[in-house]
Structures are given as structure tokens and as C-alpha cells.
Amino acid sequence: MSSDELSELADHDNCFGVKLTCGNIGKGHRIANYVRSAEYKKRKGAYLDSVVEGGDFQILPGFSDTLLSALTAHHTGCITSTGALFPKTIRRLYDQGLKGLAGDQAAFNEARQLQDRSEWIEMARKGRGWMLMDSCSKRWYRRGDQLPGCQALP
């Protein structure tokens, strides 16, 4: 679907977000510009406040390897299967990315490093499939090892 079609759907009474599995950050940015407009907020603001924490229309890429650039383009998070395997890493990337965009340079630098690691994980998952990631995660968790180049998070 195009950003114009998704923006039209954003006006539907029961619509409060979109998951973009296409990987197109620009499409999400165009939708974000639409749903952040004063006119849209006037029409849908009360509804969004009632169903979404923060009251924002949710724009969620389907891959964690684009999360930092997606946050820069006003996306609101991500929905990714990688987050099921490495939830602390993806959450830390999200939190540090938001802090970085608010001006915390150290947080932004950490988010960039986490984004690099997330890209490696997504590449392995996309290229070799979920079964490989599942098998590798079981091996690493069982042995207590870390992913190559990754540090354990609290």
C-alpha cells in the first residue's frame, strides 16, 4: 500500500497504527507528517488519547535494523520477531535512540552501536531464517555466551 492509502486508512474510526513490513522509512515518514498535523490531531486526538499511551498514531516498522533511522523519521517504535529473542537489546536501542534524538549525544552513540548489532541479527534472521536464529539463541543461552560483538545488558 502507498503512504497515501495508509494515510487515508489512518482516518478510519478504529485505526490507531500501522506496521510497515516493507522497510520503507520514507513511507512511514510521509504517514508521520500526515498524522502529526494539527488537522489530524483535532479530528483523531481524543480517540488516540483513549487507546494509545502518549496519544500518537503508531507507525511501527517490522524490522529492528531500521529502528534508529525510523525514530528519526517520527516512527513510534517497531514490531519485530528479533525483539522476542533479544528484548533487552531492542528496548535499550529504542530508549537510547529517543534520548539521543532529544539531544543526549552519549545515548545516541550507544544507540548507533546497538543499531549495528541489531542489523547483524536481522541480517542473519532474514538471510537464514527464523529457525537458524532460534537454534543459535538456544545454543548461546545454554552456554551463557554472548552474540559476537555484543555485551550483556542488565
Side-chain angles (χ1 to χ4, degrees):
M1 297 182 82
S2 72
S3 56
D4 289 339
E5 292 168 321
L6 290 169
S7 293
E8 187 177 332
L9 283 173
D11 283 323
H12 188 277
D13 291 341
N14 294 327
C15 187
F16 61 89
V18 61
K19 177 184 177 184
L20 299 174
T21 57
C22 60
N24 189 333
I25 302 299
K27 181 190 290 188
H29 198 179
R30 289 185 293 278
I31 297 165
N33 284 337
Y34 175 71
V35 299
R36 293 173 67 238
S37 70
E39 298 82 23
Y40 182 84
K41 293 277 190 179
K42 185 177 180 182
R43 285 192 315 274
K44 293 265 310 219
Y47 168 71
L48 291 172
D49 284 337
S50 72
V51 296
V52 179
E53 185 177 330
D56 291 324
F57 185 85
Q58 300 297 292
I59 303 166
L60 305 160
F63 306 107
S64 62
D65 61 350
T66 61
L67 180 55
L68 187 57
S69 53
L71 291 173
T72 302
H74 305 292
H75 296 208
T76 54
C78 71
I79 299 175
T80 172
S81 57
T82 305
L85 286 173
F86 306 102
K88 292 178 184 177
T89 300
I90 302 306
R91 178 58 194 241
R92 180 81 177 182
L93 167 57
Y94 173 78
D95 290 341
Q96 295 303 89
L98 289 180
K99 288 178 186 175
L101 292 173
D104 183 335
Q105 188 62 47
F108 187 74
N109 290 340
E110 181 182 350
R112 288 176 59 191
Q113 291 175 346
L114 290 167
Q115 185 67 84
D116 290 345
R117 294 174 187 159
S118 172
E119 188 281 327
W120 181 87
I121 295 166
E122 285 283 356
M123 185 263 318
R125 186 186 65 77
K126 289 176 194 172
R128 305 233 172 32
W130 180 257
M131 294 306 291
L132 173 67
M133 288 306 299
D134 184 54
S135 134
C136 290
S137 67
K138 287 176 183 170
R139 185 192 71 159
W140 284 319
Y141 283 135
R142 184 177 63 245
R143 289 183 30 208
D145 294 342
Q146 302 300 315
L147 285 172
C150 294
Q151 180 181 24
L153 293 172

